[in-house]
Amino acid sequence: MQLYNTLSAEERAIMIDDAGKQRLTLSFYAYAKIQDPQKFRNDLFIAWNALDALGRIYVAHEGINAQMSVPAENFEAFRETLEAYDFMKDIRLNVAVEQDDHSFLKLTIKVRHKIVADGLNDETFDVTNIGVHLKAKEFNEILDDPNTIVVDFRNHYESEVGHFKGAITPDVETFRESLPIINDQLKDHKEDKNLVMYCTGGIRCEKASAYFKHQGFKNVYQLEGGIINYAKQLKEEGLESKFIGKNFVFDNRLGERITDDIISQCHQCGKPCDNHTNCENDGCHLLFIQCDECKATMENCCSTECLEIIHMPLVDQVRLRTGKQVGNKVFRKGKSENLKFKHSGELPETALATAQKPADIRQKIKVKKVLLGKAEHYYVKAQVGQFTIENQELNSGDRILISGPTTGDQEMILNRIIVDGAETQTAKIGDKVTFEVPFRIRLSDKLYKIVNQHKFLC
């Protein structure tokens, strides 16, 4: 049985659009003793693949850490797959503040040494002796206590676009770096201060709180469910947000807005902006903040060097990358001398601008389309394609889209259609229809009817 992805991200995105069903982005974690992580991983893959669940999941002997996208109609069935395990009964699922059907496009479950790379030796302290969990209202109240020190246990690129007011925001690239820094910085306040911590979904604080209690801190607290759950409780209870800006997330959205305040700048021009992107150059993929104007000018690139590279022939781009340790730097790299307006460490709490409804980052034309059928044959000399109609009718005069991995997206107006050797105005479900196609098509291509076309605003 296949226990890995067989579709590309692009193919999966098309399938999701074709299905036209709502998906939910969510995250969860659980610390537990798992005897056989590989078997646990395989069992989850089989169960979740059957439910069309996608995401990035890490499992280890110590538990599970998951960020996922699940069809809304399969949500309860998905929950049942979790509750089949005693340690995940009644588990809290952090549903995202902002939804995007394309947040994840693959199901990736990896067995790791740890579910979060913390650099700690768990045998040296009691990892179950954690800090006091605080709900949103309690968290707000303790932040007002002058005896409180609040610490952000996320990385510099996360805190730059949003953080709690008054928080210590370590200038670090990994969670493991922040632990000794904070321990040293607060060593004189182990007994006289409230050490209050937060992260995206709560998992980093779960380990950090136990570590700091082991280090001698007497009053340790953590935000239950992290920023994601905090935002949910704000809406449900009408509470004031003491978090300002955007919450960075580790999926294709790269962020979800908590407040309308923009507290960061475009790293290239300095304009108020908090939209992350990855450099278009496959040999770089630098994670940075880029406004729409710079995005258009620089074509999603972080520097003029990368801009020049993406216009090279593909063979030359591959040659430049050969032998270099590039890897997946999407979420691990966020600093460069090219980023003139990058900020980290001590960060501002004053809004530079108010967020407007943003235009689509890639400035693409969003096409609303309906799947009609699939390609059956292409007659090269006659330049005629044959398709089977499987859904709805096809009419002469329709604007159609033929799409496939090699063909790309090709639009055209259908002027003349033939069914069973005779010209007709309408092809019905089950018909094999032929018409002139001025480009080569493949058997993997699909036929769509375009309903309307407009600039997409997200």
Side-chain angles (χ1 to χ4, degrees), residues 158-212:
E158 300 174 79
S159 56
E160 183 178 12
V161 295
H163 53 264
F164 279 97
K165 299 174 183 178
I168 295 174
T169 52
D171 186 10
V172 297
E173 295 192 29
T174 63
F175 172 50
R176 65 193 303 166
E177 290 177 65
S178 63
L179 296 172
I181 291 174
I182 295 301
N183 189 40
D184 182 66
Q185 191 172 340
L186 303 181
K187 60 185 178 182
D188 295 329
H189 300 290
K190 293 185 177 183
E191 297 190 11
D192 65 331
K193 297 289 185 181
N194 298 319
L195 175 57
V196 180
M197 56 187 69
Y198 69 90
C199 57
T200 306
I203 187 170
R204 282 176 266 193
C205 294
E206 202 78 0
K207 185 65 70 72
S209 66
Y211 169 76
F212 283 102

Side-chain angles (χ1 to χ4, degrees), residues 75-326:
F75 182 75
E76 290 305 322
F78 173 75
R79 183 185 287 279
E80 288 177 6
T81 67
L82 302 181
E83 296 191 344
Y85 300 91
D86 289 340
F87 70 90
M88 288 196 286
K89 288 189 182 297
D90 300 320
I91 191 170
R92 181 184 60 249
L93 300 179
N94 281 334
V95 178
V97 177
E98 297 177 348
Q99 296 296 334
D100 185 333
D101 289 345
H102 291 182
S103 58
F104 290 99
L105 296 173
K106 290 186 178 182
L107 176 58
T108 304
I109 310 178
K110 295 184 178 180
V111 176
R112 291 282 183 87
H113 175 63
K114 286 194 170 188
I115 55 177
V116 175
D118 52 37
L120 299 175
N121 181 356
D122 294 356
E123 303 300 323
T124 61
F125 66 102
D126 184 359
V127 295
T128 65
N129 184 24
I130 60 176
V132 177
H133 281 218
L134 299 175
K135 296 187 182 299
K137 184 178 180 181
E138 299 167 321
F139 195 81
N140 279 358
E141 290 171 352
I142 202 167
L143 292 189
D144 289 334
D145 186 339
N147 210 40
T148 290
I149 297 175
V150 59
V151 180
D152 189 329
F153 275 99
R154 301 173 303 151
N155 303 326
H156 64 85
Y157 52 85
E158 300 174 79
S159 56
E160 183 178 12
V161 295
H163 53 264
F164 279 97
K165 299 174 183 178
I168 295 174
T169 52
D171 186 10
V172 297
E173 295 192 29
T174 63
F175 172 50
R176 65 193 303 166
E177 290 177 65
S178 63
L179 296 172
I181 291 174
I182 295 301
N183 189 40
D184 182 66
Q185 191 172 340
L186 303 181
K187 60 185 178 182
D188 295 329
H189 300 290
K190 293 185 177 183
E191 297 190 11
D192 65 331
K193 297 289 185 181
N194 298 319
L195 175 57
V196 180
M197 56 187 69
Y198 69 90
C199 57
T200 306
I203 187 170
R204 282 176 266 193
C205 294
E206 202 78 0
K207 185 65 70 72
S209 66
Y211 169 76
F212 283 102
K213 290 185 73 172
H214 174 69
Q215 292 297 317
F217 287 83
K218 301 300 183 185
N219 306 303
V220 181
Y221 303 86
Q222 62 193 92
L223 179 58
E224 184 179 74
I227 300 164
I228 298 173
N229 196 42
Y230 177 84
K232 177 184 177 183
Q233 292 178 26
L234 291 184
K235 291 184 178 181
E236 292 176 346
E237 301 176 31
L239 302 173
E240 172 196 2
S241 177
K242 292 187 179 293
F243 184 96
I244 181 171
K246 182 185 272 188
N247 179 34
F248 185 93
V249 292
F250 292 82
D251 58 56
N252 293 330
R253 295 172 299 153
L254 292 179
E256 52 186 15
R257 188 157 297 288
I258 307 301
T259 72
D260 290 333
D261 304 291
I262 297 176
I263 62 173
S264 53
Q265 298 173 278
C266 170
H267 287 163
Q268 293 175 320
C269 73
K271 176 183 177 180
C273 179
D274 55 10
N275 293 326
H276 279 97
T277 191
N278 289 108
C279 182
E280 190 72 15
N281 176 15
D282 285 336
C284 177
H285 276 309
L286 177 71
L287 178 71
F288 68 109
I289 297 173
Q290 189 178 47
C291 69
D292 289 343
E293 288 79 2
C294 289
K295 192 175 294 292
T297 302
M298 297 296 294
E299 299 180 43
N300 282 37
C301 290
C302 70
S303 64
T304 54
E305 292 81 5
C306 285
L307 181 58
E308 291 173 359
I309 290 173
I310 68 168
H311 288 289
M312 291 180 177
L314 182 59
V315 64
D316 291 335
Q317 294 186 45
V318 173
R319 177 178 52 80
L320 288 174
R321 298 198 298 270
T322 302
K324 293 185 178 180
Q325 294 294 322
V326 179

Side-chain angles (χ1 to χ4, degrees), residues 6-17:
T6 58
L7 296 176
S8 68
E10 292 76 15
E11 290 171 321
R12 178 70 70 176
I14 291 172
M15 288 181 63
I16 289 173
D17 287 341

Side-chain angles (χ1 to χ4, degrees), residues 58-72:
Y58 299 132
V59 299
H61 285 291
E62 67 174 0
I64 181 171
N65 179 16
Q67 294 84 42
M68 303 189 67
S69 169
V70 179

